[in-house]
């Protein structure tokens, strides 16, 4: 691009333009500035006016008239987005040709209004003011109350606005590209305005103008590209004409072409000057803007420029901006960089111009594949795929390997992108097939080597348990390869051809696993667990593909699966994977395809595998295969059911025969007998998991085996474990039969008896010496208790109520003891079930996983109220110590219990803290160090517990109040404490009574007058004399004090002194209780200084109450027993009588002090006359009778002098009274006003 001098930032417009305005709603003829605050808001129609002759078709300041009616403004039309944008631009161009100043003024106001500014540029401003002055004036008119502007506003209308705005600019330049943009007036003015606005401190101006300038630049790039093409065509025509013979040469045409080329060159120079002005005036500054959205706009557009006009922009001078911005802190900007580069690398013709950039920024692009923003990582991988597609030499093997491992990412878009990269790198080169040659199939097909490559990659990645993730990553890019099951089975069954290397055993295992994953992916059509957010609705095309794939795989594997099972029958891992294939078959194919003989072969192979193997995984795979084939909907059901029944009959008969010999008295069973019993029992247990074997009556034989093990104590652990599991299945299948059947009384009684006998047997095995047996018994017992809990009668199953079983106290104690001794242990102490492999990290992880399952099983009993909630105290107290291992389980348990019963949960938490405290006391004694780790640990645990209640104090008030009242106040606050008449106990007494008086009503006030907080502030002056009459009335109503204190929220003044002000939070009360009496009354230096007057009115030293030893007569006034609340009420009433004189004196002085202080404060703070009285005035109150005024003052928000600096006037209205700290308004330094 040809460098051009920068345009001046200010333009002076001609003064002689005849610009007229016809309405005060537009712009006045007067020279003053006319700002209409409502202009541009809401599609308002303008009044019918008569246009001025000679100024176009009735056009006035941006409003176009048709048949005498004005249309909407440019901003309104673009905002609505309904009209064809080209017609709108054509109307504006016609207006510009008629009166360019007026049309240009409309365009300027359009940009101002699109920024959300309410100001309007008048004609006078347009003629006489420079751009900087206009922008400054518009900034002053900007609405600062809201940070929203059209580009950021929410709603469907504003979401479309950005597209309409950009379209308007593009269409405007396109329609003006042949004439108007070269008049040295329109573009100069617009570019100068946008450059000035883009440098504004106002974000709305800067954002909108930058977007407009960038879109304007993109439009000019298109114009420059068209000019360049026209110049090339003209030059080619000129050269062709000039090369003709002299006789055939047309000199007139040569001159015309030469003149045309000259004009095009001049136009291109002007366009380049405009682009240089925008680039240097806007882009260079805004690509480093503080706002990420603005930076993203600039990068997105420069990518468009380089893509559209690569000859001018695709060089290192412009590419460096994209490279630098790839290090941006915001993912949105980095994303725009990658998408811009993708458009460039997609075109192979541009690769040579990108070589230097690629070598410089390749490492950065590779590192962005691990970006914390998944969208950025996906685009980085796609960009590397394009780079790989253009040339294989750029990316090193290390660069490729950094992308390869991402196919195992849990984020599916990242994995899919990495799978595409892997597919292009490893599988893009295929052997070309000769034309006319027969298509090769099986292991001779072109896919054979690619499938082997997939197996090699899977094994080298050393993530053998994630084959499903690898298949899912490659599914979109290589589905045809992965669904070539014929080639896979051929590689497994057929012998290799001469010169071909056969697959190793490890490779065959990997291939079978990959083949199983491809079958599952094709049949289920959803990603593996951990990658999908849920099943999506498939399209008709996807459903058809799914059906076709299932049909094809069934036809193939129905024939090849029996030979595969026969070949690998002794390999447990291979057989386990192969046996899962029938679960995805379309079983109708066996009948429609006449494949019954292959079904018979399959059943024979499964039977042989059951007889050969004792591995649980293999046996369960066989059981699931029988379950999949035994579907009553298909005609093959009878055939499979007969085969299954024959197999189970043989197994049960063999088990009963072996068991009889094994349990024969007087003979010591040898190891061979034990092995035979165990292997048969494992097969029966595996089948009982998926099949109902109730007709074979396995409960009696298994129970006999378990009972013998209890009596003798020498039963092999694995036999006991599988016998417990098999009996568990018997009980569950029996329950399923009763639940779905006719609910016969005999079945209910039999099931109840078997269930209770089995639970008792499991409880006895909890004390077994073998840890594995105890863990199995505990797990099964937890499951049975949960299934047969009171929950089973819900959902309309009341007929099952006789089966409900609740554990007794002894069983609950044994379950809890098991958890404490087998779960909450150190890692080094867990030497069970690991065979001495504690040094093996995998063994430690497995042991921890087992302990977590045990704890989760017990916690479910707590959550579903099977065991008492207070048993959770022993679990909760381990929260800190075992946080890393079980913190998530314990926290979730606390959350669930709190949802069930907040109060009981709070009691359980307190119980856990008490247990820890008693344990500490037993170890350290009563004189323990409060800085010890044990005590600090208890405090930290209490803090963690408090956080679990959440921040919503309304919801947790019941639980917190219960903690304070029942767990603390009832235990530590006695009547003798209250009789001491010490002032330090009064807050505690009042708080306790407020909790009792509130009852279940969370909203009950704890001060009188709380219900009248909405009354007028001016009524406070009439309340000063209320204490006298209130106390007199209190004397008459003394016997009713207790009853009224708990039933009414509109209490007398006598009750006020009993209760805590609503703004006093409990933490301050607690700290107040810890202070000495001298601290509460003020030190000797203060004396009776009223500058320290608390929320509670305290007597002076001269009026201190008599010593408690003078009070033995007090109880004699009551001959009958009275409760604690009545005693405290009587005591405080006696105290109030002695304070009447002092209260009357203070009430008389209140009005005078109030008036003086009000004048002083308003002089200092400048309050408006209509403002309510500030809280600080109420601080001057000395009477407890004025307590309600202090509470009413909490509603005022005219001052923040009484609040911390962080609580401004907006936050003030959201503060609740309970959060208010009275200590913040009791100090003269806080008030800032002298008290006297």
């Amino acid at each position: 691009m040809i460098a051009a001098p920068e345009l001046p930032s200010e333009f002076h417009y001609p003064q002689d333009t005849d610009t007229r305005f016809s309405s005060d709603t537009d712009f006045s003829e007067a020279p003053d500035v006319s700002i209409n605050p409502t202009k541009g808001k809401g599609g308002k129609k303008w009044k019918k006016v008569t246009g001025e002759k000679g100024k176009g078709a009735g056009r006035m300041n941006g409003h176009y008239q048709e048949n005498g009616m004005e249309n909407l403004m440019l901003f309104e039309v673009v905002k609505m987005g309904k009209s064809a944008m080209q017609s709108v631009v054509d109307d504006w161009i016609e207006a510009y040709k008629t009166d360019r100043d007026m049309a240009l003024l409309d365009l300027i106001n359009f940009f101002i209004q699109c920024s959300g500014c309410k100001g309007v540029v008048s004609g006078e401003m347009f003629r006489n003011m420079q751009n900087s002055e206009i922008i400054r004036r518009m900034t002053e008119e900007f609405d600062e109350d809201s940070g929203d502007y059209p580009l950021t506003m929410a709603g469907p209308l504003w979401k479309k606005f950005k597209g309409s705005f950009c379209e308007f600019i593009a269409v405007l330049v396109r329609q003006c590209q042949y004439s108007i943009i070269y008049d040295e007036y329109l573009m100069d003015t617009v570019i100068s305005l946008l450059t000035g606005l883009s440098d504004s401190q106002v974000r709305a101006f800067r954002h909108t103008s930058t977007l407009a300038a960038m879109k304007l630049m993109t439009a000019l790039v298109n114009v420059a590209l068209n000019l360049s093409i026209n110049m090339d065509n003209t030059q080619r025509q000129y050269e062709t004409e000039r090369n003709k013979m002299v006789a055939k040469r047309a000199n007139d045409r040569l001159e015309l072409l030469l003149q045309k080329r000259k004009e095009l060159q001049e136009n291109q120079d002007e366009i380049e000057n405009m682009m240089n002005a925008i680039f240097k005036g806007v882009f260079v500054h805004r690509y480093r803007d503080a706002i990420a959205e603005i930076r993203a706009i600039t990068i997105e557009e420069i990518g468009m420029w380089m893509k559209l006009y690569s000859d001018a922009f695709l060089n290192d001078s412009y590419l460096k901006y994209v490279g630098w911005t790839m290090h941006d802190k915001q993912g949105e900007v980095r994303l725009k960089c990658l998408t811009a580069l993708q458009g460039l690398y997609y075109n192979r013709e541009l690769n040579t111009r990108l070589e230097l950039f690629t070598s410089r920024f390749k490492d950065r692009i590779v590192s962005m594949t691990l970006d914390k923003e998944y969208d950025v990582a996906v685009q980085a991988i796609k960009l590397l795929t394009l780079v790989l597609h253009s040339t294989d030499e750029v990316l090193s093997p290390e660069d490729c390997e950094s992308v390869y491992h991402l196919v195992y990412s849990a984020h599916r878009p990242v994995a899919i992108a990495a799978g595409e990269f892997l597919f292009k790198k490893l599988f893009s080169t295929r052997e070309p097939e000769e034309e006319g040659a027969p298509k090769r199939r099986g292991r001779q097909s072109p896919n054979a080597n690619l499938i082997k490559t997939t197996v090699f990659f899977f094994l080298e990645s050393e993530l053998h348990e994630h084959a499903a993730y690898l298949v899912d990553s490659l599914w979109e890019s290589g589905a045809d390869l992965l669904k070539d099951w014929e080639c896979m089975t051929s590689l497994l069954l057929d012998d290799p051809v001469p010169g071909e290397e056969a697959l190793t055993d490890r490779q065959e295992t990997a291939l079978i696993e990959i083949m199983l994953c491809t079958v599952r992916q094709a049949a289920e059509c959803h990603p593996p667990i951990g990658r999908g957010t849920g099943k999506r609705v498939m399209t008709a095309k996807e459903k058809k593909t799914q059906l076709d794939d299932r049909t094809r795989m069934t036809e193939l594997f129905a024939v090849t699966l029996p030979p595969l099972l026969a070949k690998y029958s002794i390999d447990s891992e291979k057989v386990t994977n192969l046996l899962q294939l029938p679960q995805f078959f379309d079983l109708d194919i066996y009948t429609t395809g006449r494949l019954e003989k292959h079904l018979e072969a399959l059943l024979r192979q499964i039977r042989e595998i059951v007889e050969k193997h004792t591995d649980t995984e293999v046996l369960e795979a066989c059981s699931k295969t029988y379950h999949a084939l035994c579907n009553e909907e298909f005609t093959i059901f009878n055939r499979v059911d007969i085969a299954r029944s024959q197999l189970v009959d043989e197994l049960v008969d063999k088990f009963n025969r072996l068991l009889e010999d094994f349990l024969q008295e007087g003979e010591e069973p040898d190891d061979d007998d034990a092995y035979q019993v165990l292997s048969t029992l494992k097969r029966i247990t595996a089948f009982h998991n998926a099949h109902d074997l109730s007709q074979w009556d396995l409960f009696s034989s298994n129970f006999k085996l378990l009972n013998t093990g209890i009596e003798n104590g020498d039963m092999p652990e694995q036999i006991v474990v599988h016998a417990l599991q098999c009996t568990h299945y018997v009980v569950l299948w029996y329950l399923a039969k009763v639940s779905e059947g006719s609910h016969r009384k005999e079945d209910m009684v039999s099931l109840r008896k078997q269930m209770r006998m089995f639970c008792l047997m499991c409880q006895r095995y909890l004390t077994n010496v073998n840890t594995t047996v105890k863990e199995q018994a505990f797990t099964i017992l937890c499951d049975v208790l949960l299934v047969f809990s009171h929950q089973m009668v819900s959902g309309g199953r009341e007929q099952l109520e006789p089966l409900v079983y609740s554990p007794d106290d002894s069983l609950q104690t044994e379950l809890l003891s098991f958890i404490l001794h087998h779960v909450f242990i150190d890692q080094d102490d867990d030497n069970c079930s690991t065979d001495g492999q504690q040094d093996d990290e995998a063994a430690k992880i497995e042991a921890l996983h087992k302990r977590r399952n045990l704890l989760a099983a017990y916690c479910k009993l707590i959550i579903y109220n099977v065991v008492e909630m207070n048993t959770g105290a022993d679990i909760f107290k381990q929260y800190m110590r075992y946080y890393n291992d079980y913190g998530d389980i314990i926290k979730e348990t606390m959350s669930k219990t709190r949802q069930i019963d907040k109060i009981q949960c709070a009691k359980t938490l307190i119980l856990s803290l008490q247990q820890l405290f008693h344990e500490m006391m037993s170890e350290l004694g009563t004189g323990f160090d409060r800085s010890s780790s044990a005590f600090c640990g208890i405090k930290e645990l209490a803090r963690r517990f408090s956080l679990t209640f959440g921040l919503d104090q309304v919801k947790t008030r019941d639980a917190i109040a219960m903690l304070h009242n029942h767990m603390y106040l009832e235990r530590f606050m006695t009547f003798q404490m209250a009789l001491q008449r010490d002032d330090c106990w009064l807050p505690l007494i009042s708080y306790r009574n407020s909790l009792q008086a509130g009852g279940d009503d969370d909203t009950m006030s704890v001060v009188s007058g709380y219900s009248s907080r909405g009354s007028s502030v001016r009524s406070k002056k009439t309340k000063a004399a209320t204490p006298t009459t209130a106390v007199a009335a209190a004397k008459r109503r003394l016997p009713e004090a207790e009853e009224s204190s708990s039933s009414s929220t509109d209490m007398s003044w006598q009750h006020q002194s009993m209760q805590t002000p609503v703004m006093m939070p409990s933490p301050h009360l607690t700290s107040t209780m810890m202070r000495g009496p001298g601290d509460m009354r003020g030190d000797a230096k203060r004396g009776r200084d009223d500058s320290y007057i608390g929320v509670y009115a305290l007597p002076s030293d001269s009026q201190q109450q008599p010593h408690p030893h003078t009070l033995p007569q007090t109880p004699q006034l009551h001959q009958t027993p009275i409760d604690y609340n009545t005693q405290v009420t009587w005591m405080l009433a006696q105290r109030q009588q002695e304070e009447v004189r002092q209260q009357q004196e203070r009430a008389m002085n209140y009005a005078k002090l109030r008036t003086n202080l009000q004048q002083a404060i308003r002089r200092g703070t400048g309050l408006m006359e209509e403002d309510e009285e500030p809280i600080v005035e109420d601080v001057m109150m000395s009477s407890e009778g004025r307590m309600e005024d202090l509470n009413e003052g909490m509603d005022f928000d005219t001052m923040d002098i009484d609040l911390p600096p962080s609580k401004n006037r907006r936050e003030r209205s959201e503060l609740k009274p309970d959060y208010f700290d009275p200590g913040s308004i009791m100090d003269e330094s806080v008030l800032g006003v002298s008290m006297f």
Side-chain angles (χ1 to χ4, degrees), residues 673-730:
D673 294 338
Y675 175 78
Q676 291 293 333
V677 172
L678 176 60
S679 60
T680 307
L681 182 58
K682 290 176 70 173
R683 295 184 179 101
I684 294 175
T685 303
F687 272 82
H688 211 347
N689 186 10
H691 305 271
D692 184 7
L693 308 182
S694 301
Q695 57 179 320
W696 283 275
D697 188 21
L698 295 170
F699 182 85
S700 57
S701 56
N702 280 281
F703 190 82
K704 182 179 180 181
L705 179 63
L706 293 172
N707 193 40
T708 304
I710 288 290
E711 294 175 354
N712 299 335
D714 57 352
M715 188 69 65
E717 67 172 43
Q718 288 299 318
I719 293 180
V720 176
V721 168
H722 286 87
L724 287 171
Q725 188 66 56
C726 186
T727 311
H728 184 208
Y729 292 148
V730 172

Side-chain angles (χ1 to χ4, degrees), residues 982-988 1072-1077 1080-1081:
D982 288 342
D983 297 329
C984 62
W985 298 115
L986 288 179
L988 194 58
T1072 303
M1073 183 191 69
M1074 300 302 294
R1075 300 173 187 166
M1080 288 298 297
R1081 288 190 293 270

